[in-house]
């Protein structure tokens, strides 16, 4: 009687094949087409772990340890492949198996995030809360047919060679006169329609160099109104001459003559022996002080200045060269001299319908300090700086001054490059250019249409006959 064959029984090996010579036989490996999704995933994880281990083994001969103890510490642990997944349904709480973590190896997701989303060092501490401020930036390449006069003016705006509301508006209108004279109407078009299309990229290029001021916006709006109302029956050269003449009238009436009226009205407020305090530099305030001194009034001026523009130095040199007695101090020292001041005289970048005055950063601090010590605050402002909008703070809309002491004019022993503060890895410099002075701290606003209290600023359009 032949005995029945006995099948060999092998112990569990936890996924590790038994050593050779034991007579064990394994079924042939499945092809990837016959594998389930879980088995294919496990196979890919084993291959990835084997590649990581091979990389570590090839890297160890280059860094040979000095002693045996270090060699034992540097040897990576053996990688044990997980057992093949059984073809069984997964439980509801069971997730996808994760690849084995080997020392010194990064997973694909980690390496991808490190290579793509690694921020530069300079932006590690970026003040994103002020990212909506108008940042000074170099002029980019011109988009469209940009006139050379506009290219030159945009470069001067971006480098702050031309600053101040009046100076920027006059320079813009003067450049537009050149653009209009060099313009020629294409065939089958009219000047009143095509010229406005031609001016649009010119304006966009200026705005790209530096945010548009209220004065520039009002002047450009008036220019477009004059272009749209030009007579289409006029010859082209006559129409262009008429537009340039209207631009000259706007500069004369709204800026030059307005400053003369403000100079005469505000100059009458200055008496002999007064101490006038002014902040930074305003072209209108400068004319008021020089005009009052030319009429024989004896007074002194306190010029308060602040970084980064340091515009008070230019005003100080002009007043002292004219013979006016002046005192120069920085903004933190304002409290030590405010009790000796008779009146505060400041300018404005724009004035809003709610009575708020938008001016150089630091003006609000000067006005509040003067209000605390019962010193009258008088603002000199032309009516073409009026804006129908209501502004309550200087955070929603502002502009940043250039970084660094580019406007410093003191003689320096140390090179300027070593004294200039610039953005670094752990240093972000923020220089807001304007602030908003609340109407409660302003005594009166002197315009070419009269002296207006701050709570009646909204009546300026009525005084100009617009309503």
């Amino acid at each position: 009687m032949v005995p029945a064959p006995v099948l060999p029984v092998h112990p569990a090996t936890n996924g590790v094949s038994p050593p050779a010579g034991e007579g064990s036989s394994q079924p042939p490996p499945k092809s990837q087409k016959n594998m389930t999704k879980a088995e294919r995933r496990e196979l890919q994880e084993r291959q990835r772990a084997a590649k990581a281990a091979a990389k570590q083994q090839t890297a160890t001969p280059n860094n040979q340890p000095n002693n045996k103890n270090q060699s034992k510490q540097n040897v990576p642990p053996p990688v044990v492949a997980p057992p093949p997944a059984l073809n069984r349904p997964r439980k509801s709480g069971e997730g996808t198996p994760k690849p084995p973590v080997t020392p010194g190896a990064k997973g694909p997701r980690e390496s991808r995030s490190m290579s793509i989303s690694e921020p530069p060092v300079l932006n590690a501490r970026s003040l994103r809360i002020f990212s909506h401020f108008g940042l000074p930036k170099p002029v980019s390449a011109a988009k469209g047919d940009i006139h050379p006069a506009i290219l030159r003016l945009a470069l001067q705006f971006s480098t702050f060679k031309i600053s101040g509301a009046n100076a920027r508006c006059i320079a813009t209108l003067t450049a537009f006169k050149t653009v209009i004279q060099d313009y020629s109407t294409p065939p089958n078009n009219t000047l009143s329609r095509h010229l406005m299309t031609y001016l649009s990229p010119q304006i966009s290029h200026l705005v790209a160099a530096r945010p548009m001021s209220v004065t520039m916006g009002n002047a450009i709006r008036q220019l477009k109104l004059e272009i749209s109302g030009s007579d289409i029956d006029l010859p082209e050269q006559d129409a262009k001459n008429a537009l340039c003449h209207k631009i000259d009238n706007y500069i004369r009436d709204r800026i030059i003559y307005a400053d003369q009226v403000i100079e005469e009205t505000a100059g009458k407020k200055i008496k002999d022996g007064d101490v006038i305090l002014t902040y930074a530099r305003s072209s209108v305030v400068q004319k008021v002080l020089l005009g009052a001194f030319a009429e024989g009034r004896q007074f002194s001026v306190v010029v308060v200045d602040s970084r980064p523009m340091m515009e008070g130095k230019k005003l100080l040199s002009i007043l002292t060269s004219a013979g006016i007695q002046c005192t120069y101090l920085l903004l933190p020292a304002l409290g030590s001299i405010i009790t000796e001041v008779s009146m505060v005289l400041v300018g404005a970048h724009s004035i809003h319908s709610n009575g708020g005055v938008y001016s150089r950063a630091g003006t609000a601090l000067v006005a509040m300090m003067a209000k605390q010590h019962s010193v009258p605050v008088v603002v000199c402002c032309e009516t073409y700086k009026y804006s129908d909008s209501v502004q309550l703070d200087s955070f929603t809309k502002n502009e940043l001054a250039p970084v660094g002491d580019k406007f410093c004019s003191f003689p320096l022993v140390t090179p300027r490059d070593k004294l200039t503060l610039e953005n670094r890895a752990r240093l972000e410099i923020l220089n807001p250019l304007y602030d908003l002075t609340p109407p409660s701290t302003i005594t009166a606003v002197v315009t070419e249409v009269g002296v207006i209290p701050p709570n009646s600023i909204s009546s300026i359009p009525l005084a100009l006959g617009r309503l």
Side-chain angles (χ1 to χ4, degrees):
M1 183 173 180
V2 181
V6 179
L7 296 177
V9 179
H10 301 286
T13 58
N14 294 330
V16 181
S17 61
E22 291 186 1
S24 61
S25 62
Q26 291 184 350
K30 294 182 181 180
S31 63
Q32 293 190 3
K33 293 183 179 180
N34 298 331
M35 290 182 181
T36 62
K37 182 183 285 188
E39 291 176 346
R40 285 197 298 269
R41 189 181 297 111
E42 295 295 339
L43 178 61
Q44 293 174 0
E45 292 170 358
R46 288 199 300 271
Q47 292 175 354
R48 190 182 297 113
K51 288 182 181 179
K55 287 182 180 179
Q56 287 188 353
Q57 290 177 1
T58 55
T60 50
N62 297 331
N63 299 325
Q64 291 291 342
N66 296 329
N67 49 39
K68 297 181 179 180
N69 296 331
Q70 292 181 355
S71 64
K72 291 181 181 179
Q73 294 176 359
N74 294 334
V75 173
V79 179
V80 180
L86 301 177
N87 191 6
R88 58 178 177 83
R90 275 188 193 152
K91 298 178 182 179
S92 59
E94 185 177 357
T96 306
K98 297 181 180 180
V101 180
T102 56
K106 297 178 181 178
R109 185 176 300 174
E110 183 182 355
S111 61
R112 185 166 61 250
S113 63
M114 289 286 290
S115 60
I116 295 177
S117 64
E118 201 171 73
V121 179
L122 294 179
N123 296 335
R125 206 171 158 271
S126 177
L127 298 176
R128 291 179 295 174
I129 192 173
F130 302 104
S131 59
H132 63 284
F133 284 8
L135 300 175
K137 49 185 177 296
V139 180
S140 58
K143 297 180 180 179
D145 187 11
I146 307 300
H147 195 275
I150 301 298
L151 293 175
R152 188 186 315 111
L153 183 61
L155 184 61
Q156 292 173 337
F157 281 175
S158 62
T159 56
F160 281 74
K161 296 295 183 182
I162 298 178
S163 62
N166 290 347
R168 291 176 64 189
C169 183
I170 293 174
T172 302
L173 292 178
T174 305
F176 280 154
K177 285 176 57 180
T178 307
V179 173
I180 292 173
Q181 288 293 346
D182 295 342
Y183 165 81
S184 59
T185 307
N188 302 325
N189 282 283
T190 59
L191 182 140
S192 59
R193 292 187 178 182
H194 188 266
L195 181 56
M196 297 180 65
T197 305
Y198 179 72
L199 289 179
S200 295
Q202 321 291 331
I203 299 170
S204 301
H205 189 72
L206 292 178
V207 175
R210 188 177 170 190
M212 182 182 296
S213 62
V214 173
T215 57
M216 291 173 57
N218 291 338
I220 291 173
R221 195 177 300 110
Q222 183 66 29
L223 176 60
K224 288 183 177 180
L225 184 63
E226 298 292 346
I227 293 174
S228 62
S230 60
D231 190 0
I232 60 176
D233 296 330
L234 280 177
E236 181 177 341
Q237 189 59 42
D238 294 342
K240 292 192 294 186
N241 292 337
L243 288 176
C244 293
H245 182 66
K246 291 179 180 178
I247 291 176
D248 291 335
N249 290 342
Y250 186 89
I251 296 175
R252 181 197 62 193
D253 297 339
R254 305 301 301 275
I255 301 177
I256 298 176
Y257 285 175
D259 288 350
Q260 293 177 1
V261 175
I262 293 173
E263 174 187 342
E264 181 180 355
T265 304
K268 296 178 181 179
K269 307 294 181 183
I270 300 176
K271 308 298 180 183
D272 290 337
D274 283 350
V275 179
I276 309 300
L277 186 142
T278 184
Y279 176 72
R281 178 175 179 254
S282 171
S283 59
V284 188
V285 173
Q286 176 181 317
K287 293 177 182 178
V288 170
L289 296 176
L290 292 176
F293 184 76
E295 291 180 0
R297 298 186 181 91
Q298 299 296 323
F299 58 92
S300 60
V301 179
V302 178
V303 180
V304 183
D305 206 0
S306 178
R307 294 177 64 185
M309 301 289 286
M310 305 297 285
E311 297 172 299
K313 296 178 183 178
K314 180 66 175 177
L315 177 64
L316 182 69
S317 63
I318 294 174
L319 296 181
T320 52
S321 61
I324 302 176
Q325 183 180 358
C326 298
T327 303
Y328 181 82
L329 54 91
L330 295 179
L331 188 60
L334 177 63
S336 61
I337 202 172
I338 192 64
T339 55
E340 304 176 7
V341 173
S342 305
M343 181 175 60
V344 174
L345 206 61
V346 293
H349 178 78
S350 63
I351 189 165
H352 297 263
S353 59
N354 63 330
V357 173
Y358 197 61
S359 187
R360 190 70 75 213
T363 307
L365 178 60
V366 173
M368 292 177 185
M369 184 74 74
K371 176 72 174 180
Q372 185 69 23
H373 292 82
S374 301
V375 177
V377 179
V378 178
V379 178
C380 298
C381 179
E382 301 89 345
T383 55
Y384 89 110
K385 296 181 179 179
Y386 172 78
S387 175
D388 290 327
S389 62
V390 175
Q391 190 160 345
L392 302 176
D393 54 45
S394 56
F395 177 76
T396 55
K397 178 184 176 182
N398 210 321
E399 187 179 348
L400 291 181
V403 175
D405 298 333
K406 297 183 179 180
F407 307 97
C408 183
S409 59
F410 283 131
L412 300 176
V413 179
T414 307
R416 187 184 299 276
D417 297 338
K418 295 184 179 180
L419 296 178
T420 301
L421 290 177
E422 295 181 354
N423 290 334
R424 299 175 185 174
R426 295 176 179 82
L427 177 63
E428 181 100 10
I429 300 175
L430 183 71
N431 290 325
L433 203 55
Y434 303 105
D435 64 7
L436 187 81
T437 304
S440 58
T441 60
I442 299 173
T443 306
V445 180
V446 180
T447 66
E448 69 267 24
V449 296
V451 181
I452 304 175
N455 54 3
S456 300
I457 293 298
S458 58
S459 63
I460 286 180
L462 179 62
L464 294 175
R466 296 180 186 174
L467 297 178

